[in-house]
Amino acid sequence: MATTRYGLLGYPARHSKSPAMHNAAFKQAGIDAQYDAYEVAPNALAATFKSLVASGVAGFNVTMPFKEAIMLYLDDLTPLARRLSAVNTVVIRDGKTIGDSTDGAGFWRTLREPADQVILIGTGGAARAIMATAPKSVTLHVFNRQSDRFPEKAAMVNDLAGVELHDLAEIGLYLPYADLIVNATNVGMQSDISILSTEQFYETQPDVQVVDIIYKKEPTPFMAAARAAGRQADDGLAMLIGQGALSFEQWTGQLPDINVMKQAIMPAEEGEK
């Protein structure tokens, strides 16, 4: 039998650790499969996706900037993906492409400690997934910069999480009470800008958990600002592993070895720093 193929659709995508993580998990599970990153120009998504499906690729992960755009080319969506208007996992069953989201469940599964008072910055696809899958015990405070679309985003946040959307300018009122602060924007991915300053992190509890859902070779600006204030900060690698494990399970029907996935990407990360 031919090797089963899976892949990641994104732009950029070459930096992704998903191939190393999934290929290690396939090998450990004894599954004859290969996972590749497909860097797709934004105007070529439709043609590339259709071509890859036709060529026999059996499932995909989807990352920025395609989590919403991909929905136009799918045969069906799970109720969660429909509710989120975002997809990070595509499963192909009986010739049909089905979009789902494992981002939120993957995030909450991988926190160092349970959290009660949570600040979430951003309203994009990953942020929506985190909101919609938040444990009932969590009190969520969602923030976004003011823009023409703020009322539209506020309605969406209320629909998904039953909470108010706050202006980012007001975040200082909430920082002292948070035990988890999450940057779910792409600010800092391509720049040295942090959405919160070190001075703002000094306003937080000393043991606050800080998570930036993006990851880079070096600590992200958000992480660096938190660490400069003596706060513990993590990047998006734990979330990457969590959502990836759930995608793997959907594709194969098997639970992957989380430690194998982690070992496949963590040593390289440390070596790059």
Side-chain angles (χ1 to χ4, degrees):
M1 286 180 66
T3 300
T4 306
R5 292 157 55 218
Y6 298 93
L8 171 73
L9 300 170
Y11 187 81
R14 291 189 191 124
H15 73 291
S16 175
K17 297 183 184 294
S18 290
M21 177 177 79
H22 281 289
N23 287 326
F26 286 136
K27 184 177 179 182
Q28 192 277 335
I31 296 171
D32 184 10
Q34 174 70 29
Y35 184 109
D36 296 297
Y38 300 106
E39 188 158 291
V40 183
N43 62 357
L45 176 61
T48 304
F49 178 65
K50 289 172 185 175
S51 171
L52 288 169
V53 172
S55 75
V57 177
F60 299 89
N61 284 130
V62 184
T63 190
M64 291 188 286
F66 300 132
K67 290 186 180 188
E68 296 172 45
I70 192 70
M71 294 191 298
L72 292 172
Y73 313 114
L74 300 176
D75 296 316
D76 203 359
L77 300 170
T78 64
L80 177 60
R82 201 179 301 279
R83 195 168 157 232
L84 295 175
S85 297
V87 163
N88 84 316
T89 301
V90 177
V91 181
I92 300 176
R93 285 200 194 100
D94 303 321
K96 278 190 151 190
T97 54
I98 303 163
D100 194 11
S101 176
T102 64
D103 276 334
F107 172 82
W108 292 107
R109 281 187 181 197
T110 50
L111 288 178
R112 289 178 184 271
E113 301 286 342
D116 297 319
Q117 296 289 327
V118 177
I119 286 176
L120 176 65
I121 306 170
T123 56
R128 295 198 295 271
I130 290 169
M131 280 178 231
T133 55
K136 287 188 167 61
S137 59
V138 163
T139 301
L140 202 57
H141 307 282
V142 185
F143 292 84
N144 211 90
R145 285 189 170 130
Q146 276 289 355
S147 71
D148 292 343
R149 292 186 61 205
F150 194 90
E152 174 192 336
K153 291 177 178 178
M156 178 269 296
V157 168
N158 184 261
D159 180 55
L160 278 180
V163 298
E164 181 185 351
L165 179 62
H166 300 288
D167 185 343
L168 186 62
E170 300 169 356
I171 198 168
L173 299 172
Y174 296 82
L175 291 173
Y177 308 103
D179 43 30
L180 171 64
I181 302 172
V182 184
N183 174 33
T185 75
N186 61 4
V187 174
M189 181 177 272
Q190 305 290 348
S191 70
D192 293 328
I193 298 165
S194 171
I195 207 155
L196 292 183
S197 66
T198 294
E199 289 71 27
Q200 287 175 302
F201 278 114
Y202 272 119
E203 301 298 317
T204 64
Q205 299 178 49
D207 60 349
V208 66
Q209 291 183 82
V210 176
V211 178
D212 194 336
I213 66 163
I214 61 177
Y215 61 86
K216 302 167 81 169
K217 288 184 180 179
E218 301 296 329
T220 67
F222 189 76
M223 293 168 62
R227 288 176 178 177
R231 307 307 187 245
Q232 185 170 354
D234 296 302
D235 63 12
L237 283 178
M239 181 177 179
L240 177 75
I241 295 165
Q243 62 81 28
L246 294 171
S247 298
F248 184 104
E249 184 182 6
Q250 289 200 23
W251 296 328
T252 67
Q254 296 184 38
L255 282 168
D257 188 320
I258 296 285
N259 288 327
V260 165
M261 297 177 91
K262 186 175 181 179
Q263 287 163 11
I265 60 175
M266 292 302 195
E269 176 74 3
E270 286 163 12
E272 289 165 353
K273 283 182 179 174

